[in-house]
Amino acid sequence: MTESTRKPSSGQRVAAFIANVGEGNKFKKMELFDAVPGVSQADRRMRDLREMGWVIDNYKVNPNISPDEYLVRKIGVRIDRGEPRPKTVRKGVAGAKRRRIFERDGHACKVCGAPAGQPFADEPSRIAVLTVGHIVPNARGGADDESNLRAECQRCGDESRDDTTDPPTPEQVFKRVQSVGGIKEKRRIFGWMQAGRREFDDTELAFVEWSRLPFDQQQDVMNRFAMQVMIDLEQ
């Protein structure tokens, strides 16, 4: 099979769709999935484009767009047109350093608290696999020393690639925890700090599970729940 007749890869199909959206324009997550049917991880293929110069905002870094939207800020290497992929400079953290990071972080994800080798609380069918990630990415000047490294599960590692903001300063964090409501909430946060991980209560777990549904299913659950809330208020 020649290069010209070879079937486009999933990454090339995603790149072609986003390039067609064009710089400065928005698209919805469901539009991405509809444009590349049969690609179950189209959003991951989209994140892979960031290493090739593509800049695509989500709601975490751009408050002007909704949670189901993306904004194309810059089109990078056109792999859909056969442009060569850049050589990656990312190197995994291995050996003694990797073991030290895992031991320091209690063999659990420092973002969501999922223990290594255990099922996710909100997704029991999946097991948490840990890797070592950068708090501030190398691409934005982050160092490879251990103070800038943390244990991350595969889910949080994928999501952190979408975040292009620097972490807060210690003073900003201290002011934030000081401003938390009553003593009950402060004790709760302090308990998380002591444990080095956050534990979900039933309310948070319900929202986390809802947020992981596809957009159309989110809308269905939200609309049905709204009716239940209205009924409860009337009683």
Side-chain angles (χ1 to χ4, degrees):
M1 183 179 294
T2 65
E3 185 68 29
S4 60
T5 60
R6 185 178 297 125
K7 183 179 179 180
S9 68
S10 57
Q12 290 172 323
R13 292 165 62 192
V14 169
F17 165 73
I18 298 176
N20 188 59
V21 171
E23 292 182 356
N25 298 316
K26 301 176 184 177
F27 65 93
K28 294 182 180 294
K29 180 180 291 189
M30 290 305 300
E31 291 175 336
L32 170 63
F33 282 96
D34 290 342
V36 288
V39 180
S40 60
Q41 296 183 321
D43 50 346
R44 179 172 294 185
R45 301 289 79 77
M46 177 179 64
R47 286 192 290 266
D48 291 342
L49 294 175
R50 293 186 60 198
E51 298 178 15
M52 294 175 258
W54 297 65
V55 181
I56 306 168
D57 282 358
N58 66 3
Y59 75 99
K60 294 179 182 178
V61 299
N62 189 332
N64 297 317
I65 57 180
S66 63
D68 66 318
E69 286 184 325
Y70 295 94
L71 171 65
V72 184
R73 290 179 51 202
K74 181 181 178 182
I75 294 173
V77 176
R78 293 296 302 272
I79 58 172
D80 56 309
R81 292 181 175 177
E83 294 181 6
R85 298 170 182 259
K87 294 182 179 180
T88 180
V89 297
R90 191 197 311 178
K91 296 181 180 179
V93 178
K97 179 184 282 190
R98 181 184 181 89
R99 290 192 295 272
R100 286 197 301 271
I101 297 298
F102 285 168
E103 290 173 1
R104 182 199 67 189
D105 293 346
H107 295 277
C109 176
K110 292 298 289 183
V111 182
C112 72
Q118 298 297 314
F120 288 102
D122 60 318
E123 197 175 3
S125 62
R126 292 184 65 186
I127 301 298
V129 178
L130 294 187
T131 186
V132 175
H134 289 76
I135 299 173
V136 179
N138 290 142
R140 290 188 287 120
D144 290 327
D145 56 8
E146 295 183 17
S147 64
N148 190 46
L149 299 174
R150 66 184 177 189
E152 295 177 349
C153 69
Q154 69 270 39
R155 287 195 332 194
C156 293
D158 285 343
E159 293 172 0
S160 68
R161 296 182 193 178
D162 284 338
D163 192 353
T164 59
T165 59
D166 287 327
T169 65
E171 188 60 31
Q172 288 173 326
V173 174
F174 184 67
K175 288 181 178 179
R176 171 74 70 178
V177 296
Q178 275 189 314
S179 67
V180 171
I183 187 63
K184 181 178 180 180
E185 288 78 13
K186 286 183 169 65
R187 285 176 174 171
R188 189 180 183 200
I189 293 177
F190 182 66
W192 292 348
M193 291 178 176
Q194 287 182 306
R197 68 189 67 173
R198 180 170 64 121
E199 298 180 354
F200 290 111
D201 61 22
D202 289 342
T203 302
E204 292 173 310
L205 184 57
F207 179 79
V208 169
E209 290 177 344
W210 174 85
S211 67
R212 297 193 64 80
L213 292 172
F215 177 71
D216 56 343
Q217 294 178 16
Q218 285 182 349
Q219 297 300 303
D220 173 62
V221 172
M222 183 173 64
N223 292 336
R224 285 191 286 153
F225 186 57
M227 296 297 296
Q228 183 63 56
V229 171
M230 293 295 294
I231 293 173
D232 291 345
L233 291 175
E234 291 174 357
Q235 292 179 348

